[in-house]
Amino acid sequence: MMMINATQVSYFTLSAYFDTGVFKYLYFVIIMSLYILIISANLLLIVIICMNRSLHEPMYIFLCSLFVNELYGSTGLFPMLLVQILSDIHTVSASFCFLQIFCVYSYVCVEFLNLAIMSYDRYLAICYPLQYNTRMTSAKVAILIGVTWLFPFLTIVILVSLSAPLQLCGNIIDKVYCGNYSVVKLACSDTRLHNIYGLIYTVISIIIPLILILYTYMKILKVCFSGSKQTRQKAVSTCTPHLASLLNFSFGCCFQILQSRFDMSSVPNMLRILLSLYFLTCQPLFTPVLYGLKMSKIRNICKRLLCGEV
């Protein structure tokens, strides 16, 4: 029953979903609660940073950009996930599928670039404290945030533009959401160009930011070991949440890449679903909770707002 013409399919079937009976309502409530929690936590910290002039510093502006991205990424997944959980027929239109691919892939790219510019900011603050204000100007902050968002959008528009016209020999995606590689695997035509572009995209948007992050943290560690106790404490307090966020997101992305590229049929279905959703569900919640607890300025303002402390 596949509606296939000469060039493309009109809908995709998400085959990773399975019949859960009445438990689907429980799963719906759990996922909905998680989504509401993600929206509330990220919005709270965005408002706190925007409304408090004491937080109008580069580090917090980059953090605000990160929280906006968590909202963007989770919104690219959760609404469709909630609809599919309650639905008996797990299909999605081709246009909506490519829209979700755009949202999810650009979210990943923005996340890595945002974490990279945050590590660069910490590198300047710790390794060049006296020159920090002249090196990290308002104009530079605006340019870095602009590149962090515009570059991923441009690269993913090209990615989707290459994948959408493909002639496909099927319409079954073995996932709970749409993925570009899952669509490309269905192609009847030659996909070498797509694979080459995918490799270039991965290097530019993931590998290079990770190399930059590793380089800056090597420099930061070098300064910490040779510096005073106060310098070490400052580095640990500001860098710990950043490193934890990076590791959590990187592990989540690794799970997703491994699942896309290798045969995971021996892994239990529920575990495969949880691993594939990890980076899109845990990171948007993990980030605001982590920074809200570890960054003393944000933590103190949260306490005053939520607990009425003076």
Side-chain angles (χ1 to χ4, degrees):
M1 294 294 292
M2 290 184 292
M3 297 173 66
I4 304 174
N5 58 30
T7 56
Q8 58 192 131
V9 301
S10 60
Y11 71 90
F12 292 97
T13 300
L14 302 171
S15 64
Y17 288 97
F18 57 94
D19 184 26
T20 55
V22 293
F23 285 106
K24 68 182 180 181
Y25 300 107
L26 174 63
Y27 295 141
F28 179 86
V29 171
I30 292 170
I31 297 294
M32 176 64 85
S33 301
L34 181 61
Y35 186 38
I36 291 170
L37 198 57
I38 287 168
I39 292 173
S40 303
N42 284 284
L43 270 181
L44 173 66
L45 296 185
I46 290 167
V47 170
I48 283 173
I49 291 170
C50 291
M51 298 298 287
N52 287 271
R53 292 185 66 84
S54 62
L55 299 180
H56 292 181
E57 301 171 12
M59 177 172 67
Y60 297 105
I61 293 169
F62 294 140
L63 259 182
C64 191
S65 171
L66 194 67
F67 298 144
V68 169
N69 192 46
E70 305 304 356
L71 286 176
Y72 169 65
S74 56
T75 302
L77 170 75
F78 279 92
M80 194 187 87
L81 195 61
L82 290 166
V83 170
Q84 292 293 334
I85 286 171
L86 292 182
S87 177
D88 293 324
I89 303 169
H90 305 293
T91 60
V92 58
S93 68
S95 55
F96 195 88
C97 190
F98 285 112
L99 176 63
Q100 187 174 51
I101 288 170
F102 176 83
C103 291
V104 170
Y105 279 61
S106 55
Y107 159 73
V108 171
C109 192
V110 171
E111 191 83 0
F112 274 115
L113 289 176
N114 214 129
L115 290 169
I117 62 169
M118 286 170 70
S119 69
Y120 173 65
D121 175 68
R122 291 301 82 208
Y123 162 71
L124 289 182
I126 293 165
C127 300
Y128 301 96
L130 300 178
Q131 302 167 39
Y132 177 74
N133 289 331
T134 55
R135 289 196 177 197
M136 190 56 76
T137 60
S138 298
K140 193 170 186 179
V141 169
I143 290 168
L144 287 171
I145 288 178
V147 170
T148 298
W149 284 89
L150 292 175
F151 175 75
F153 280 17
L154 178 63
T155 56
I156 306 306
V157 162
I158 297 170
L159 186 78
V160 172
S161 299
L162 288 171
S163 301
L166 277 174
Q167 182 181 354
L168 305 181
C169 293
N171 71 338
I172 296 173
I173 296 175
D174 189 24
K175 295 176 75 172
V176 293
Y177 62 93
C178 294
N180 186 68
Y181 188 67
S182 300
V183 172
V184 172
K185 282 196 294 187
L186 297 171
C188 304
S189 52
D190 183 34
T191 59
R192 275 180 294 182
L193 177 62
H194 303 78
N195 293 330
I196 291 168
Y197 183 78
L199 185 63
I200 293 169
Y201 157 76
T202 303
V203 169
I204 293 173
S205 62
I206 297 173
I207 305 299
I208 291 176
L210 282 174
I211 290 170
L212 176 62
I213 291 167
L214 288 172
Y215 173 78
T216 55
Y217 273 96
M218 283 171 61
K219 291 290 186 181
I220 289 168
L221 282 172
K222 187 178 178 182
V223 169
C224 289
F225 283 123
S226 61
S228 63
K229 185 180 178 182
Q230 187 180 2
T231 304
R232 284 195 295 273
Q233 286 176 338
K234 181 186 176 184
V236 168
S237 65
T238 59
C239 296
T240 301
H242 181 264
L243 278 175
S245 183
L246 174 68
L247 287 171
N248 182 66
F249 191 65
S250 297
F251 281 131
C253 288
C254 282
F255 292 148
Q256 172 55 24
I257 291 167
L258 288 172
Q259 189 169 351
S260 296
R261 302 283 170 168
F262 298 101
D263 180 21
M264 303 285 283
S265 56
S266 59
V267 179
N269 196 30
M270 183 60 80
L271 181 59
R272 269 189 291 159
I273 291 171
L274 290 174
L275 290 178
S276 71
L277 292 173
Y278 183 85
F279 76 107
L280 282 166
T281 54
C282 290
Q283 184 72 5
L285 183 60
F286 183 77
T287 298
V289 170
L290 183 69
Y291 284 101
L293 292 174
K294 290 295 291 182
M295 308 293 277
S296 58
K297 277 189 178 182
I298 294 177
R299 187 174 66 245
N300 292 337
I301 294 170
C302 283
K303 279 183 181 179
R304 289 203 298 272
L305 278 175
L306 300 176
C307 306
E309 294 183 15
V310 179

